[in-house]
Amino acid sequence: LDVLHKVIVAIVHDTQRAADIIRKLRNLFRMGRGEYTVLKLDVLVQDVLDLVQSQMKSANIVWTVKLDANLHLHGDATQLQQVILNLLNNAIDALRESGLPHPELHIRGQAAGPFLELEVEDNGPGIGPERADDVFSLFKTSKSQGMGVGLWLSRSIVEVHGGRLNFQSEPGRRTVFTLRLPLLREAMLG
């Protein structure tokens, strides 16, 4: 009975979070800006990991998370969580489709000058040079069930936040997506 109660609480929490994401994405398209506050990168990432952890376990993906402490930024939590979720889902999908015996996903976050950088790296099949130009294009996808919106929308959200989203890939070895956003320094936090 206790386990059932915990499951129900988790379902309600995740349903509320999904509804919040949908509401804020609608606002993104309507107004262009979301609800900006001071955010901590580790909290953003952990909230998204909570959503995809079961997918990674079922795909036997080994993951590591290494985030520098106290990385603060100014932005809309739901929009940035959507970007992180998209990056993680893409990596998980690539690893699932690869059939690798030891799929790995590495998430790293650190300060880089006036920016924070979040890297999502997988050891999947990579992105071939013939597809590299289309990665962030609207309605271009390599997935059979994809719509070609995720990375285009993610890059748009990141740019609205004053950042950049790029990737590097070594076909047959790995892909690393790097999210760069302006870092809030301690003095700016008050």
Side-chain angles (χ1 to χ4, degrees):
L1 194 59
D2 187 44
V3 171
L4 184 59
H5 181 263
K6 288 179 182 177
V7 169
I8 291 171
V9 168
I11 289 171
V12 168
H13 181 260
D14 289 346
T15 302
Q16 290 170 336
R17 184 181 301 151
D20 191 43
I21 288 171
I22 291 168
R23 180 181 60 80
K24 289 184 177 181
L25 282 174
R26 282 185 184 152
N27 288 342
L28 171 69
F29 284 114
R30 194 174 313 133
M31 300 181 307
R33 278 186 71 94
E35 299 170 16
Y36 281 51
T37 60
V38 174
L39 306 168
K40 286 186 69 178
L41 181 65
D42 58 341
V43 173
L44 287 173
V45 171
Q46 189 56 56
D47 284 348
V48 175
L49 281 171
D50 290 345
L51 294 174
V52 299
Q53 204 165 13
S54 63
Q55 291 177 55
M56 292 190 293
K57 285 179 182 176
S58 71
N60 295 316
I61 296 170
V62 175
W63 70 93
T64 62
V65 180
K66 185 177 180 191
L67 302 170
D68 288 353
N70 296 317
L71 293 178
H72 292 87
L73 63 147
H74 189 251
D76 181 275
T78 303
Q79 290 176 13
L80 293 173
Q81 285 173 334
Q82 184 64 39
V83 171
I84 297 166
L85 179 63
N86 187 54
L87 295 177
L88 292 178
N89 277 334
N90 286 347
I92 292 166
D93 290 347
L95 290 170
R96 274 191 177 141
E97 293 172 11
S98 73
L100 286 170
H102 304 290
E104 296 178 12
L105 180 59
H106 304 284
I107 302 161
R108 294 179 294 272
Q110 63 273 334
F115 296 93
L116 64 81
E117 289 184 345
L118 177 68
E119 296 176 344
V120 176
E121 177 180 352
D122 67 71
N123 68 335
I127 298 169
E130 71 282 356
R131 290 186 21 230
D133 290 340
D134 291 334
V135 166
F136 295 106
S137 296
L138 184 59
F139 303 128
K140 299 268 184 153
T141 185
S142 62
K143 297 179 185 180
S144 61
Q145 300 296 315
M147 297 186 333
V149 175
L151 286 172
W152 172 84
L153 179 60
S154 293
R155 182 176 254 185
S156 299
I157 290 170
V158 170
E159 288 175 353
V160 166
H161 282 78
R164 293 191 50 92
L165 180 60
N166 294 308
F167 77 97
Q168 292 181 320
S169 188
E170 296 175 46
R173 296 197 51 205
R174 70 184 191 121
T175 300
V176 182
F177 277 85
T178 303
L179 167 62
R180 259 175 90 97
L181 292 166
L183 179 65
L184 283 182
R185 297 287 181 187
E186 297 298 321
M188 302 169 112
L189 296 173

